[in-house]
Amino acid sequence: DGFEVYYQPIVDCQSEQIIGAEALMRFSMITEEVYTPAVLKKEVLPKRQGKLFRYNKPILGVFGTSSKQGKFTLQLLLREKIMKRGYSIGQLGTEPTAELFGFDYVFPIGYNSLVELQNEEAVQYINMQMQSICEKEPDIIIVGCQSGTVSYDYGNISFYLFQQYAFLVATQPDAVILCINYFDELEYIRRTVQFIESSSPSKVIAFVVFPVKLEKEIAGVYGKKTVISEDEFKQRKSIVEKVFGIRTFLLNQDIEEVVNHVIDFFCEEE
């Protein structure tokens, strides 16, 4: 996109902060310093009696029902297509590679996260990132989360998605595109939509289906997958749209229609 991206090393690979991070330790054999997105407690400014900024730009959120369903791919496609139509984009990502693609900021939650903040601190930190993006005067801000949004099961503390909740309430998207799997249960999709719309002033305006199905459902999202056929997508689309009344698209194939839908939504809001 013509962005100049540069990095300054912020983590010394011999620091105790990264002991146990295998990938970083490998890099330490090559160079003494490695840049990796990290959010440390010392980076959080005073709380200002709890006051937060209110955003004055339209915000589009990309959330999902699970991991491994193309959320980051969708964010990149939206960025490309919307910018080609002449709109300026502000963007906050949660993938550690987000800044390499021209995103303004990254809040790197997810696997092996180097975010040290608790929930209140995370909301405050994200709020400051969002305000900084607003001050750049973009036409629209796109934010994208990690993994799922609502806990599918409650039998292990690792199933609780506290960071995703903090990201949702901190970014306050006006509209949300929810990435869903072909095999997601309708009730789980319903719970996710209701959670998003009740936890923030957001409206889920579209579903984007990741075009694969599980060969063995017992293996979950980490099992072997096969690509769904066009007929399978059409059947699933028909069911989902009938149940929820929300436009449903296929990842990659329908991206221009997704962009049209997003622009129409924000034009109607104005």
Side-chain angles (χ1 to χ4, degrees):
D1 293 328
F3 288 88
E4 181 180 353
V5 181
Y6 65 95
Y7 291 88
Q8 294 179 343
I10 61 170
V11 179
D12 183 341
C13 279
Q14 296 177 357
S15 167
E16 293 181 0
Q17 294 170 352
I18 62 164
I19 288 177
E22 182 181 351
L24 295 179
M25 292 303 291
R26 287 202 201 103
F27 280 116
S28 70
M29 300 176 185
I30 303 171
T31 178
E32 292 182 357
E33 294 182 322
V34 173
Y35 176 93
T36 183
V39 182
L40 311 180
K41 282 186 177 291
K42 65 182 181 181
E43 298 179 51
V44 179
L45 297 177
K47 292 186 177 180
R48 305 187 306 274
Q49 291 77 48
K51 295 179 181 178
L52 299 173
F53 293 103
R54 298 182 186 274
Y55 314 132
N56 61 357
K57 298 296 176 183
I59 301 170
L60 174 67
V62 176
F63 289 77
T65 55
S66 75
S67 60
K68 297 181 178 295
Q69 57 183 178
K71 288 184 289 295
F72 192 55
T73 297
L74 178 58
Q75 292 167 64
L76 296 177
L77 289 170
L78 289 169
R79 176 187 183 84
E80 175 191 3
K81 300 299 183 182
I82 293 176
M83 290 180 71
K84 281 185 176 179
R85 299 194 186 193
Y87 296 98
S88 60
I89 297 288
Q91 207 154 8
L92 171 62
T94 51
E95 289 286 348
T97 55
E99 288 176 297
L100 293 173
F101 294 91
F103 288 33
D104 297 273
Y105 297 104
V106 58
F107 190 73
I109 57 177
Y111 178 73
N112 205 23
S113 171
L114 291 178
V115 174
E116 292 184 347
L117 311 185
Q118 298 302 314
N119 290 335
E120 286 187 7
E121 297 170 325
V123 170
Q124 179 192 354
Y125 186 85
I126 295 169
N127 178 258
M128 293 178 62
Q129 289 182 314
M130 291 290 291
Q131 176 61 20
S132 295
I133 296 175
C134 287
E135 291 172 358
K136 297 179 182 181
E137 295 293 329
D139 293 315
I140 185 172
I141 299 174
I142 300 176
V143 301
C145 199
Q146 285 279 323
S147 190
T149 306
V150 178
S151 299
Y152 187 80
D153 190 13
Y154 300 93
N156 190 293
I157 192 63
S158 64
F159 298 159
Y160 289 75
L161 306 175
F162 299 117
Q163 289 183 316
Q164 285 85 339
Y165 174 71
F167 189 83
L168 171 62
V169 297
T171 54
Q172 297 286 306
D174 301 290
V176 167
I177 297 175
L178 183 63
C179 295
I180 63 175
N181 299 301
Y182 172 77
F183 48 83
D184 281 339
E185 298 171 0
L186 294 177
E187 181 55 32
Y188 184 56
I189 296 173
R190 186 189 307 278
R191 285 205 296 126
T192 303
V193 171
Q194 291 173 340
F195 182 83
I196 290 172
E197 295 186 340
S198 61
S199 301
S200 64
S202 307
K203 180 176 178 58
V204 176
I205 64 169
F207 296 130
V208 171
V209 179
F210 189 53
V212 299
K213 61 182 178 180
L214 304 175
E215 286 197 0
K216 296 181 180 179
E217 292 192 8
I218 194 171
V221 296
Y222 298 99
K224 189 175 181 181
K225 306 178 183 72
T226 56
V227 177
I228 62 174
S229 67
E230 184 176 348
D231 286 341
E232 285 176 316
F233 168 68
K234 288 180 178 179
Q235 291 173 8
R236 187 61 172 170
K237 171 185 171 75
S238 176
I239 293 171
V240 170
E241 290 188 339
K242 182 177 180 180
V243 171
F244 297 102
I246 295 175
R247 295 281 303 277
T248 303
F249 305 94
L250 189 64
L251 181 66
N252 293 340
Q253 181 176 306
D254 296 335
I255 187 61
E256 294 290 351
E257 292 183 56
V258 175
V259 172
N260 289 338
H261 189 53
V262 168
I263 293 174
D264 288 345
F265 172 81
F266 284 112
C267 287
E268 290 174 3
E269 288 288 294
E270 292 178 359

